[in-house]
Amino acid sequence: MSASPLFTVKEVLSAACAVHRINGGFVKAADVTPNNNKIANSQFLYNHFLGTHDKKSGTNKRQLVEIKASDEVMADEITDYLKGLSFKAMERDLTDFETNVLKLVTADEVGKDKIGIAASLPKVYSNKQAADVWSEREGALSAVSEYVGTQGKRGNLTITVENIRYIASVGPKLYCGSVDGKHIVKFFSNDVESKVGDTITIGAYVKSHGISKYHYGKETMVNRIKVIK
């Protein structure tokens, strides 16, 4: 039995960046249906490196994606950035996924079992960059943030959406925003369609006022969200 093929991390991540560019972002296998004509990023990578089975010839035919110089540059940026997880490990325990990512980007070669993780890394990189930007912004807001609304009461708030992230352990997306460019407001929702940078007016119930254990500033948590405009 022949050994499983190995590929350099650079070529795998360059191809992952090319697929991310061609696919217009990250498409999960779960998002693919017979009716939407989507191809998961991981499947693109499998086809590129391992091919698809040709029943007539009994062989695998590779379906190569075009890798541009910009994809190779992005691959290097992703590698350098995600190697920084080693420093995070000094501050806290890494998640299982982060540990696997760190093992991948610090390796020289990887096998087919790592292709699925590699396919997601351009998206992971993008998300972590956005989180870094918000962390810096949130730190600045924390110095001036005051509570908004009346705790235990419902009211209208006009919020600029500053960050949106999905928290797997919770389910809904966490929306982080500011009122008047100063006061931090957060809420969970899967029904709000607004993007980062949008300013929206919502009707909401003020669930709590509290001091964040992350940025040590005042923040307001709301729920029972209804977008007014």
Side-chain angles (χ1 to χ4, degrees), residues 83-102:
K83 280 181 178 178
L85 288 173
S86 60
F87 294 101
K88 294 287 186 183
M90 298 177 187
E91 304 169 359
R92 60 172 175 80
D93 292 335
L94 300 180
T95 65
D96 290 343
F97 180 75
E98 288 175 330
T99 300
N100 287 329
V101 167
L102 184 57

Side-chain angles (χ1 to χ4, degrees), residues 15-37:
C17 291
V19 168
H20 193 267
R21 170 177 52 80
I22 293 167
N23 236 6
F26 182 65
V27 177
K28 298 181 293 185
D31 294 333
V32 177
T33 69
N35 299 321
N36 63 16
N37 295 319

Side-chain angles (χ1 to χ4, degrees), residues 165-174 188-190:
R165 65 180 183 269
Y166 176 73
I167 301 177
S169 61
V170 177
K173 297 173 185 175
L174 174 62
F188 290 96
S189 178
N190 276 333

